[in-house]
């Protein structure tokens, strides 16, 4: 009976947290719209939709990216728009997601794959570091793997130790991979589009706490150019260098 009471309390607490999060998300989106802005998550969803509309070679695949719309809503409604042949829910196997995406890229498609959390890189590191990163060099530049591998990183959402790490340095120290970690919604739009133009695999890491941040989207003027640092504020006494959140 004591266990049942404890489980009931945990259930109520978790339900309350989910309802509060849902209410907060709706409030943030409403406030952003009133200011003429869009949230980070909205920008991702709209950009992915537009990219898939522009290029039939683009497919999206990963755990819960189709029917559920992604863990943070970034792929919401894509299944309705493009169907199950292009928006693909995969089994719970990170190695299979990366390996299948790489194979699709080698045959001419442009996959946008998603690992639900960057922490799961460990279970697919052979595919990422030994296969995906090296395929162009193993074939002397005759074949490329033009794909994006998305993942959510960082802490701040009480997700537990195995869902809260920042592992981008693994990618930075792996030759053959590009890495992008956008900060603003405008960054997310332009860097995602830029990543698809690169005929090399790009790892795209999104901080969890940025999904509900909002900002102005300027499709013609990127805040940040792929591969170059953006000066947010000019000064003469001190340099502070950072990225993402």
């Amino acid at each position: 009976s004591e266990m049942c009471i404890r489980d009931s309390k945990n259930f109520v607490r978790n339900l309350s947290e989910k309802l509060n999060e849902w209410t907060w998300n709706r409030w943030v989106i409403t406030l952003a719209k009133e200011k003429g802005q869009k949230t980070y998550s909205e920008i991702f969803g709209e950009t992915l939709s537009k990219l898939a509309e522009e290029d039939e070679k683009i497919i999206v695949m990963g755990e819960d990216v189709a029917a559920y719309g992604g863990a943070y809503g970034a792929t919401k409604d894509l299944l309705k728009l493009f169907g199950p042949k292009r928006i693909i829910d995969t089994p719970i196997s990170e190695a299979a997601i990366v390996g299948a995406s790489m194979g699709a890229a080698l045959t001419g498609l442009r996959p946008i794959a998603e690992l639900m959390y960057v922490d799961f890189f460990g279970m697919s590191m052979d595919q990422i570091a030994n296969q995906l990163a090296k395929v162009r060099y193993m074939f002397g530049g005759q074949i490329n793997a033009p794909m994006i591998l998305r993942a959510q990183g960082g802490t701040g959402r009480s997700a537990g130790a195995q869902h809260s790490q920042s592992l981008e340095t693994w990618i930075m120290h792996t030759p053959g991979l590009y890495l992008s970690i956008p900060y603003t919604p405008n960054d997310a739009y332009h860097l995602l589009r830029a990543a698809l133009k690169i005929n090399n695999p790009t790892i795209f890491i999104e901080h969890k706490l940025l999904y509900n941040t909002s900002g102005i989207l300027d499709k013609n003027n990127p805040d940040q150019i792929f591969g170059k640092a953006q000066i947010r504020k000019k000064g003469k006494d001190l340099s502070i260098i950072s990225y993402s959140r």
Side-chain angles (χ1 to χ4, degrees):
S1 59
E2 183 180 343
M3 184 177 294
C4 291
I5 293 172
R6 186 167 61 249
D7 290 344
S8 297
K9 288 181 178 179
N10 289 336
F11 173 78
V12 171
R13 184 173 64 251
N14 291 335
L15 179 60
S16 177
E17 289 176 355
K18 288 295 182 183
L19 288 173
N20 288 336
E21 182 177 346
W22 181 85
T23 303
W24 170 256
N25 290 348
R26 298 305 305 167
W27 181 81
V28 168
I29 292 172
T30 301
L31 184 62
K33 288 181 178 178
E34 289 176 355
K35 293 183 177 181
Q37 301 178 346
K38 292 186 177 182
T39 65
Y40 196 89
S41 181
E42 285 182 301
I43 293 296
F44 260 105
E46 292 179 13
T47 306
L48 289 171
S49 178
K50 188 63 177 177
L51 289 170
E53 182 182 323
E54 293 172 354
D55 190 348
E56 293 183 353
K57 293 181 179 180
I58 290 176
I59 61 172
V60 176
M61 60 190 302
E63 297 171 24
D64 292 333
V65 299
Y68 186 68
Y72 294 95
T75 54
K76 182 182 177 182
D77 295 331
L78 292 186
L79 178 62
K80 297 177 183 177
L81 293 171
F82 303 103
K85 289 187 177 180
R86 295 184 64 193
I87 313 299
I88 305 165
D89 273 334
T90 66
I92 304 175
S93 173
E94 286 73 19
I97 293 170
V98 180
S101 299
M102 175 180 165
L106 294 178
T107 60
L109 296 177
R110 287 188 173 270
I112 301 176
E114 179 182 334
L115 297 188
M116 195 172 289
Y117 294 100
V118 72
D119 313 71
F120 302 158
F121 276 6
M123 289 172 283
S124 54
M125 209 57 180
D126 178 59
Q127 298 288 352
I128 294 173
N130 287 331
Q131 309 304 327
L132 187 59
K134 296 176 174 60
V135 64
R136 180 177 181 180
Y137 301 94
M138 295 297 290
F139 287 92
Q142 298 178 71
I143 191 169
N144 299 320
M147 61 168 283
I148 294 175
L149 179 60
R150 295 178 52 238
Q152 293 76 40
T155 186
R157 293 180 63 100
S158 302
Q162 297 93 345
H163 296 73
S164 303
Q165 298 177 85
S166 298
L167 301 178
E168 53 272 8
T169 51
W170 287 6
I171 304 303
M172 281 294 295
H173 291 91
T174 304
L177 299 173
Y178 282 77
L179 173 65
S180 184
I181 313 178
Y183 172 54
T184 67
N186 205 47
D187 291 342
Y189 173 83
H190 289 285
L191 292 178
L192 189 60
R193 295 187 70 90
L196 271 178
K197 296 178 182 178
I198 300 172
N199 284 325
N200 278 317
T202 300
I203 311 300
F204 213 89
I205 300 177
E206 305 143 24
H207 197 289
K208 301 178 188 68
L209 289 185
L210 291 178
Y211 283 114
N212 284 329
T213 60
S214 59
I216 298 293
L217 172 61
D218 188 342
K219 294 183 178 180
N220 297 317
N221 296 303
D223 288 336
Q224 191 166 348
I225 299 174
F226 201 99
K228 292 186 178 181
Q230 167 69 18
I231 299 176
R232 300 289 178 182
K233 186 177 181 180
K234 293 184 179 181
K236 60 181 180 179
D237 299 315
L238 181 66
S239 295
I240 299 176
I241 302 171
S242 186
Y243 60 91
S244 187
R245 185 187 190 279

